[in-house]
């Protein structure tokens, strides 16, 4: 329950619009670090104090024999569990 509440507190900032609402600059383009406090984006060098690299992504379900027939949890639902499972193995 606690994790669901904590995630609900930050959910408004999860995603592109929420990040922009937090007054952060968002670049959806390829860039490269050119120094400890600089990044190049579209040929322009930007100086910055902090960077968040958010690639998005989806969980990758490993091809483990029998896993498809077993109940498993990914990061997408882990924090919404209402009860702890009796046992858990973490792969990855």
């Amino acid at each position: 329950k606690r994790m669901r509440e904590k995630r609900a507190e930050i959910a408004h900032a999860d995603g592109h619009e929420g990040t922009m609402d937090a007054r952060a600059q968002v670049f959806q383009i390829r860039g490269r670090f050119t120094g400890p406090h600089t990044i190049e984006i579209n040929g322009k060098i930007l100086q910055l104090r902090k960077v968040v690299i958010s690639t998005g992504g989806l969980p990758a379900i490993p091809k483990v024999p029998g896993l498809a027939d077993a109940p498993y949890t990914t990061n997408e639902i882990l924090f919404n569990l209402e009860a702890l499972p009796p046992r858990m193995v973490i792969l990855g």
Side-chain angles (χ1 to χ4, degrees):
K1 181 179 175 183
R2 181 174 180 269
M3 288 304 296
R4 282 194 314 276
E5 291 170 354
K6 291 294 180 191
R7 285 183 54 84
E9 287 177 23
I10 64 169
H12 67 279
D14 193 13
H16 182 87
E17 288 183 21
T19 304
M20 289 179 58
D21 289 345
R23 296 184 294 156
Q25 291 180 310
V26 177
F27 299 94
Q28 293 185 323
I29 194 165
R30 189 177 301 260
R32 69 182 186 94
F33 288 98
T34 56
H37 299 284
T38 57
I39 189 168
E40 180 181 350
I41 299 175
N42 273 356
K44 291 177 132 179
I45 304 292
L46 304 177
Q47 288 194 334
L48 31 92
R49 289 184 293 141
K50 297 180 182 179
V51 173
V52 174
I53 299 173
S54 180
T55 61
L58 299 170
I61 310 302
K63 294 181 180 176
V64 175
L67 182 61
D69 301 321
Y72 62 86
T73 301
T74 68
N75 63 307
E76 293 179 315
I77 60 172
L78 177 68
F79 297 110
N80 293 320
L81 293 176
E82 293 189 14
L84 292 175
R87 292 179 293 284
M88 182 178 288
V89 173
I90 299 174
L91 301 176

